[in-house]
């Protein structure tokens, strides 16, 4: 099973690993586009105004442009510890130990606008590029990534179940027709339900923790729902679509 996470705009600074080595990342078939995008971001960083426009930044976020300028020289961290924020706080990979930690690192992956698909231990620097970024003079990122990512993800899906926790813009970079998809709904006292916004990522992070560290080897949506329910989560299934229901 692969538990496919969205990335986060916030990233841990620094690192203890060597500078970025694109040829050492998993999924080497993605190296050519990864190389192009890194080169484009480094070049764009020389134009702060252009970077702000392309990346949706304010002048107060110029440190993000500085990160892109140093992409090839900055220290690296494993992807699963590079990304931060609500989802990754709830996942809390650092608190897992022994076989549970090893199991989680083997199952977790991240969909990235810069690197396409990362496995947990792929070492990457801090950067700024989101799925909706508009690099000047270039097609949209979904147009560039889909021809590479969709065949790769389809191949993975033929061999193991994928639980896709990505947001819509990242799912658009590489669609997976056979994946298990998850939404989070809040149930109100009168029974009506609404989409969870602020805490959506937290609930997906908790689900990712449960699934990635479980001894179970689910091979379909029903089995995924069973693992989540055993962990105390309220999960409903409609085919390959799962709904995590939480109290409003």
């Amino acid at each position: 099973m692969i538990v496919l996470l969205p990335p986060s705009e916030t990233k841990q600074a620094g690192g203890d690993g060597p500078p970025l080595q694109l040829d050492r990342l998993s999924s080497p078939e993605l190296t050519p586009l990864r190389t192009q995008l890194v080169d484009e971001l480094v070049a764009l960083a020389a134009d702060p105004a252009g970077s702000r426009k392309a990346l949706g930044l304010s002048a107060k976020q110029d440190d993000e442009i500085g990160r892109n300028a140093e992409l090839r020289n900055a220290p690296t961290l494993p992807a699963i510890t590079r990304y931060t924020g609500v989802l990754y706080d709830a996942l809390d990979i650092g608190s897992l130990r022994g076989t549970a930690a090893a199991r989680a690192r083997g199952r977790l992956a991240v969909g990235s606008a810069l690197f396409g698909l990362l496995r947990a231990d792929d070492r990457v620097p801090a950067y700024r590029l989101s799925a909706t970024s508009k690099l000047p003079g270039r097609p949209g990122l979904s147009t560039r990534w889909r021809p590479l990512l969709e065949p790769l993800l389809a191949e993975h899906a033929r061999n193991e179940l994928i639980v896709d926790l990505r947001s819509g813009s990242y799912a658009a970079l590489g669609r997976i027709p056979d994946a298990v998809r998850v939404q989070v709904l809040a149930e109100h006292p009168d029974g009506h339900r609404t989409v969870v916004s602020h805490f959506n990522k937290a609930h997906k992070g908790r689900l990712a923790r449960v699934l990635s560290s479980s001894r179970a080897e689910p091979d379909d949506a029903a089995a995924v729902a069973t693992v989540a329910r055993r962990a105390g989560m309220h999960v409903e299934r409609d085919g390959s679509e799962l709904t995590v229901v939480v109290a409003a």
Side-chain angles (χ1 to χ4, degrees):
M1 176 176 59
I2 295 173
V3 181
L4 183 54
L5 307 175
S8 61
E9 289 189 353
T10 57
K11 298 172 184 69
Q12 184 171 323
D16 58 6
L20 179 63
Q21 297 173 290
L22 289 170
D23 60 349
R24 299 291 296 273
L25 299 180
S26 60
S27 305
E29 55 267 68
L30 306 181
T31 301
L33 183 50
R34 288 167 171 163
T35 302
Q36 290 175 25
L37 291 172
V38 167
D39 289 345
E40 289 168 19
L41 282 183
V42 171
L44 183 62
D47 175 9
S51 289
R52 292 182 204 121
K53 180 178 180 181
L55 305 176
L57 301 173
S58 70
K60 294 181 179 180
Q61 296 173 292
D62 279 358
D63 58 330
E64 300 279 5
I65 300 172
R67 286 180 168 185
N68 284 352
E70 296 298 320
L71 269 172
R72 290 199 172 275
N73 304 311
T76 56
L77 284 173
I80 202 60
T81 52
R82 173 64 73 190
Y83 298 102
T84 61
V86 174
L87 186 151
Y88 289 87
D89 288 346
L91 170 61
D92 195 13
I93 188 73
S95 68
L96 294 174
R97 297 289 182 268
T99 56
R103 192 180 295 118
R105 286 181 174 273
R107 288 175 173 173
L108 291 167
V110 181
S112 164
L114 180 55
F115 299 108
L117 180 68
L118 294 169
R119 300 311 295 252
D121 289 326
D122 281 332
R123 286 189 165 269
V124 294
Y127 66 91
R128 183 59 177 254
L129 183 71
S130 67
T132 55
S133 297
K134 305 288 187 183
L135 296 179
R138 305 297 297 170
L141 289 170
S142 60
T143 299
R144 301 176 74 180
W145 273 121
R146 277 182 186 173
L148 297 174
L149 272 181
E150 290 191 346
L152 173 64
L153 292 168
E155 180 64 26
H156 281 302
R158 281 191 284 272
N159 297 315
E160 52 193 329
L161 182 70
I162 298 178
V163 180
D164 190 356
L165 301 181
R166 296 174 299 170
S167 58
S169 59
Y170 283 94
L173 298 181
R175 298 160 297 189
I176 317 169
D178 297 327
V180 175
R181 292 176 182 79
V182 179
Q183 67 171 337
V184 182
L185 295 180
E187 188 167 79
H188 296 259
D190 64 2
H192 86 278
R193 294 176 175 181
T194 55
V195 175
V196 173
S197 54
H198 180 67
F199 292 107
N200 173 62
K201 293 178 181 179
H203 294 296
K204 286 187 174 181
R206 294 185 189 111
L207 179 62
R209 180 183 176 89
V210 167
L211 295 178
S212 64
S213 61
S214 171
R215 292 189 180 91
E217 293 285 353
D219 57 5
D220 60 20
V224 169
T226 296
V227 172
R229 289 170 187 147
R230 286 174 179 167
M233 303 184 78
H234 178 179
V235 177
E236 298 175 355
R237 182 176 68 89
D238 182 4
S240 62
E241 306 284 334
L242 300 183
T243 299
V244 177
V245 182
V246 298

